[in-house]
């Protein structure tokens, strides 16, 4: 299963270096949650991601306040794709086989 969506990149903590994320749309998160089954650990789900020409494996993490998942966008990807805070990016998100 694969989903394509657009979301804004944001810093977790605005003071200095921090993680950067995009929020997975709630309707996509609901489908991911259904496919992932019963949560383990702290509820992360392994995914495959593509932004632009860059693909990687990572996990999405639940965000209780929004009822969705947060997708970390590592610095190497941001640098390669020229992504800055506040940029809107198109994400292809898939569940590993």
């Amino acid at each position: 299963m694969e989903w394509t969506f657009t979301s804004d990149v944001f810093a977790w903590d605005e003071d200095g270096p921090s993680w950067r994320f995009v929020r997975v749309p709630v309707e996509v998160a609901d489908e991911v949650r259904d496919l992932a089954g019963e949560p383990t650990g702290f509820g992360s789900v392994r995914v495959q991601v593509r932004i632009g020409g860059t693909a990687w494996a990572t996990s999405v993490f639940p965000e209780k306040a929004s009822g969705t998942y947060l997708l970390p966008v590592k610095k190497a990807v941001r640098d390669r794709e020229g992504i800055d805070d506040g940029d809107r990016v198109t994400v292809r998100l898939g569940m590993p086989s």
Side-chain angles (χ1 to χ4, degrees), residues 21-66:
F21 296 91
V22 298
R23 280 188 178 87
V24 175
V26 172
E27 59 275 5
V28 173
D30 288 345
E31 291 183 23
V32 168
R33 197 173 293 111
D34 287 346
L35 288 172
E38 191 65 31
T40 59
F42 50 90
S44 65
V45 177
R46 297 288 300 159
V47 294
Q48 300 289 325
V49 181
R50 178 176 292 278
I51 295 177
T54 306
W56 74 101
T58 188
S59 293
V60 289
F61 301 90
E63 182 185 44
K64 286 185 182 181
S66 66

Side-chain angles (χ1 to χ4, degrees), residues 3-5 8 10 12 15 40 46 62 66 78 90 93 96-97:
W3 304 267
T4 301
F5 59 89
D8 296 327
F10 68 95
W12 184 256
D15 297 328
T40 59
R46 297 288 300 159
S66 66
R78 296 191 319 267
T90 298
L93 180 81
S97 306

Side-chain angles (χ1 to χ4, degrees), residues 73-94:
V73 182
K74 55 188 177 182
K75 184 173 181 357
V77 173
R78 296 191 319 267
D79 289 348
R80 189 173 303 128
E81 297 297 329
I83 298 169
D84 291 316
D85 291 353
D87 285 354
R88 197 155 181 80
V89 296
T90 298
V91 176
R92 282 194 357 214
L93 180 81

